[in-house]
């Protein structure tokens, strides 16, 4: 394997592995040793450092070295990224998985918005985004990085269920009983106006910026540009 791709693979393993380690087996001993603030500082520092490694390794790896999946791949990717952006936009509204003072009360409430689709809208937004890049078969560097981010998101969501159940007890159990890990995409048009409009805006803007940032037209701009 090309040395730049080995470096990228190592960077992604470090990014994903450090997230899993610090979020689960190392979290309690690190908090005990460093305090909550110290733990958060180290977590943030390691996350940014490994993400920077991923970024620089990615741009240093060969681009467009695979055959690609043609128009069929672009159509599938464009379709996948729309619900991804809707879920991502809606995940910031009333999410009991976020560390806020309202989390337990939100977990006891009836699900609404994107939580009608899945209790992990942020994670599934990232997972669908990753899948949209995998189907393109555009480059080895994209396949490595998208696969890593998809694993981080979707396996992380499973681990998050266990962690939140320990932290919130019956409240998270109630939330889990009313929501689904797997996305119920047929409910997407029931999530409300704000997630749909905001998500569609992100979808259009993000795919437009793709040309400026990556030099590749994406989304509907693939055909309108």
């Amino acid at each position: 394997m090309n040395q730049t791709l080995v470096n990228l693979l190592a960077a992604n393993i470090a990014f994903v592995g450090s997230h899993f380690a610090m979020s689960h087996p190392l979290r309690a001993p690190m908090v005990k040793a460093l305090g909550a603030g110290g733990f958060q500082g180290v977590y943030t520092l390691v996350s940014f450092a490994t993400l920077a490694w991923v970024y620089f390794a990615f741009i240093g790896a060969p681009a467009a070295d695979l055959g690609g999946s043609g128009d069929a791949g672009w159509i599938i990717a464009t379709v996948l990224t729309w619900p991804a952006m809707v879920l991502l936009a809606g995940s910031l509204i009333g999410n009991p998985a976020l560390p806020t003072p309202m989390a337990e009360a939100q977990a006891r409430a009836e699900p609404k918005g994107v939580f009608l689709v899945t209790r992990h809208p942020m994670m599934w937004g990232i997972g669908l985004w990753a899948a949209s890049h995998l189907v393109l078969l555009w480059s080895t560097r994209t396949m490595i990085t998208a696969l890593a981010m998809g694993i981080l998101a979707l396996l992380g969501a499973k681990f998050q269920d266990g962690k939140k159940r320990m932290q919130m007890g019956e409240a998270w159990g109630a939330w889990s009983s009313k929501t689904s890990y797997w996305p119920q995409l047929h409910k997407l048009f029931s999530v409300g106006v704000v997630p749909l409009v905001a998500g569609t805006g992100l979808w259009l803007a993000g795919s437009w910026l793709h040309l400026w940032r990556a030099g590749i037209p994406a989304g509907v701009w693939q055909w309108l540009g």
Side-chain angles (χ1 to χ4, degrees):
M1 183 184 286
N2 182 293
Q3 186 59 40
T4 59
L5 292 175
V6 172
N7 184 40
L8 178 63
L9 182 62
N12 276 283
I13 290 172
F15 180 69
V16 174
S18 62
H19 266 69
F20 282 148
M22 291 189 296
S23 295
H24 301 285
L26 296 182
R27 185 183 183 92
M30 286 179 70
V31 169
K32 184 176 181 181
L34 303 172
F39 165 76
Q40 195 58 50
V42 171
Y43 187 98
T44 301
L45 181 63
V46 172
S47 297
F48 274 108
T50 53
L51 184 60
W53 183 12
V54 169
Y55 172 76
F56 288 110
F58 183 89
I59 63 176
D65 59 337
L66 299 179
S69 51
D71 279 347
W74 280 109
I75 291 169
I76 295 169
T78 300
V79 170
L80 285 173
T81 50
W82 179 72
M85 294 301 102
V86 172
L87 291 174
L88 193 60
S91 71
L92 301 175
I93 305 169
N95 189 347
L98 297 178
T100 68
M102 303 85 72
E104 188 166 333
Q106 289 167 342
R108 295 182 185 280
E110 285 301 309
K112 59 184 179 180
V114 293
F115 303 99
L116 297 171
V117 178
T118 173
R119 66 177 166 274
H120 296 292
M122 184 178 292
M123 302 298 204
W124 273 104
I126 296 169
L128 290 172
W129 170 87
S132 74
H133 285 72
L134 290 171
V135 299
L136 291 174
L137 294 172
W138 188 261
S139 66
T140 307
R141 70 180 188 176
T142 301
M143 301 294 283
I144 291 172
T145 305
L147 183 61
M149 298 306 162
I151 290 172
L152 176 61
L154 302 185
L155 192 56
K158 272 294 185 186
F159 288 159
Q160 187 183 71
D161 274 336
K163 182 174 72 175
K164 291 296 180 181
R165 192 172 290 111
M166 288 179 61
Q167 291 175 344
M168 297 171 65
E170 185 273 330
W172 191 262
W175 183 245
S176 296
S177 70
K178 294 180 289 189
T179 55
S180 171
Y181 168 82
W182 297 101
Q184 312 295 303
L185 292 177
H186 62 282
K187 298 180 180 179
L188 203 59
F189 288 97
S190 302
V191 302
V193 173
V194 173
L196 288 172
V197 171
T200 301
L202 279 175
W203 177 63
L204 292 171
S207 54
W208 181 80
L209 287 170
H210 201 278
L211 174 60
W212 171 71
R213 191 67 190 89
I216 304 166
V220 295
W221 313 110
Q222 174 77 7
W223 298 279
L224 298 179

